[in-house]
Amino acid sequence: MVSETRGQAPSLSIVLAAPLRLVMGALNAPMSFVQRRFGLGGMGAVFLAPNMLIFGVFVLIPVAINLAYSFTGGMAIFFGERHVVGFEQYRTLFACGDYTQPATCREDAFWQSIHNTIFFVLVQVTVLVLAALGTALVLNREMRSRGFWRAVFFFPVLLSPVVVGLIWKWILQRDGLLNAVLVDYGFDRTLWLAERNWAMFWAIFVSVWAHLGFYALILLAGLQAIPRDLYEAAMMDGTGRLRTFWRITLPLLWPNLLVVITLALIRAVQIFDEAYVLTGGGPGTSTLFITQYIYETGFAHVLRNLGLASAASILMGVVLVGLTLLQLMASNRRNREGNR
């Protein structure tokens, strides 16, 4: 029976190889023509062309259209039915008596969303990076069921942001799971999502909970790339754990940490899904963030203002590009210092 199987193997491989030869033969002529036409050095551009075409259609063209919308006014969607207003939309956004007091601004909801977003970014990114670093340090140690705990921390990343928001809304609502537990222990019900301070707290907490595993995984990969010989040498020299962390772990982990900080900043500025499902921007405008302002101004309101929403999104895009450039500059500077 074994001999029969061995006897059938060559014929089976020939049958499977025949279509492959046919396909490769059909591609040989056009690929040879492309190589002669563009040269060996131009083949990279040829292979990148399909991806760049998709990128242009779905990214560059929409950005250009959005920029054009920001210079027009009216409620119509098509450009032929809109009128050019120049920088009027930007002047509307920046018409403000005191930028620290949104109530003095012409577009007060915009500046309230800016204040909320800045506060959210500062607190959420700080907590997220520290929590991710601590989690990575713990999961990098020798412990029982380490693979299980890594999966537990990464599992929320696999969930849709909308699902995350709905789960926590079910837990935190007036008759939700958390209040049910508190009432059983003799505490009063708390309107977690209807009080300004609590609503922002839970928006930050849920966002950290949902994304912690992703950033911890990046830092964990950086920790595992650090040579163990360095820690063994430090231990032989009698170096304490805290000094080892500051002198060995943190400097060698800095490239990964820089990536985590940059990605967390960009993600925090774009916060929308979890917060919108969880609080809807309320109570009032206490959890209204810039992305939700853009969405509601351009689409949710009956008197939709696509030009104003486009101008706000362009400003947010400039901020995101600035954060990316800062990350690149910091990374290049770090590389230059490391090569000295």
Side-chain angles (χ1 to χ4, degrees):
M1 188 171 182
V2 174
S3 61
E4 292 179 359
T5 305
R6 290 178 177 175
Q8 293 176 358
S11 59
L12 183 61
S13 63
I14 294 174
V15 172
L16 294 176
L20 182 60
R21 292 198 195 97
L22 183 63
V23 173
M24 296 302 294
L27 292 176
N28 182 59
M31 293 305 296
S32 298
F33 170 77
V34 171
Q35 184 172 343
R36 289 193 302 269
R37 177 68 177 81
F38 295 97
L40 188 61
M43 291 300 292
V46 172
F47 285 109
L48 284 175
N51 289 333
M52 294 305 299
L53 178 62
I54 296 174
F55 182 79
V57 171
F58 292 101
V59 177
L60 296 181
I61 293 179
V63 169
I65 293 175
N66 192 45
L67 181 62
Y69 264 113
S70 68
F71 295 106
T72 62
M75 295 179 55
I77 296 179
F78 299 104
F79 280 109
E81 301 174 5
R82 300 179 63 84
H83 55 279
V84 178
V85 297
F87 289 92
E88 182 60 32
Q89 305 290 9
Y90 295 94
R91 284 193 289 267
T92 300
L93 292 177
F94 284 98
C96 199
D98 183 0
Y99 293 110
T100 62
Q101 300 293 331
T104 65
C105 302
R106 179 177 176 182
E107 197 62 28
D108 58 337
F110 172 75
W111 285 101
Q112 184 62 54
S113 69
I114 293 290
H115 287 195
N116 293 340
T117 303
I118 292 175
F119 178 82
F120 178 88
V121 168
L122 293 176
V123 177
Q124 192 261 6
V125 172
T126 302
V127 174
L128 179 60
V129 172
L130 293 177
L133 179 58
T135 302
L137 290 172
V138 172
L139 294 179
N140 192 48
R141 300 174 59 185
E142 293 296 333
M143 56 187 300
R144 297 183 60 181
S145 304
R146 184 169 61 176
F148 168 76
W149 290 112
R150 290 178 180 178
V152 167
F153 278 97
F154 189 76
F155 177 73
V157 180
L158 303 178
L159 298 176
S160 166
V162 175
V163 173
V164 171
L166 290 174
I167 290 174
W168 280 98
K169 187 173 184 178
W170 173 68
I171 294 174
L172 298 172
Q173 61 189 357
R174 185 181 183 278
D175 297 320
L177 180 62
L178 181 57
N179 274 330
V181 173
L182 292 176
V183 169
D184 286 343
Y185 282 93
F187 295 95
D188 295 330
R189 297 180 186 272
T190 302
L191 302 179
W192 302 109
L193 302 178
E195 296 182 7
R196 297 178 65 89
N197 293 334
W198 278 119
M200 178 61 77
F201 168 82
W202 285 113
I204 295 172
F205 177 87
V206 171
S207 179
V208 171
W209 179 87
H211 303 287
L212 173 63
F214 175 72
Y215 300 110
L217 186 65
I218 296 176
L219 295 177
L220 181 60
L223 289 172
Q224 293 181 341
I226 299 176
R228 306 302 303 177
D229 298 343
L230 298 176
Y231 292 109
E232 294 175 0
M235 185 181 301
M236 294 177 61
D237 291 339
T239 307
R241 290 187 177 182
L242 185 59
R243 187 174 179 83
T244 301
F245 173 77
W246 284 106
R247 294 294 185 179
I248 297 177
T249 303
L250 197 59
L252 294 179
L253 190 62
W254 176 249
N256 297 72
L257 196 59
L258 184 61
V259 171
V260 166
I261 293 173
T262 304
L263 294 178
L265 282 171
I266 294 174
R267 173 67 188 179
V269 173
Q270 295 176 306
I271 179 66
F272 175 72
D273 312 79
E274 300 100 332
Y276 185 73
V277 174
L278 191 65
T279 65
T285 57
S286 59
T287 57
L288 175 67
F289 301 111
I290 181 63
T291 310
Q292 182 180 342
Y293 168 82
I294 294 171
Y295 162 72
E296 291 184 346
T297 302
F299 302 100
H301 287 172
V302 177
L303 301 176
R304 60 174 181 264
N305 193 333
L306 294 175
L308 196 64
S310 297
S313 65
I314 291 296
L315 295 176
M316 187 180 74
V318 171
V319 172
L320 295 178
V321 170
L323 292 175
T324 304
L325 292 177
L326 288 176
Q327 185 266 337
L328 293 175
M329 292 171 58
S331 179
N332 292 335
R333 181 179 178 182
R334 185 73 179 182
N335 292 335
R336 287 196 300 268
E337 292 178 352
N339 293 332
R340 291 177 181 175

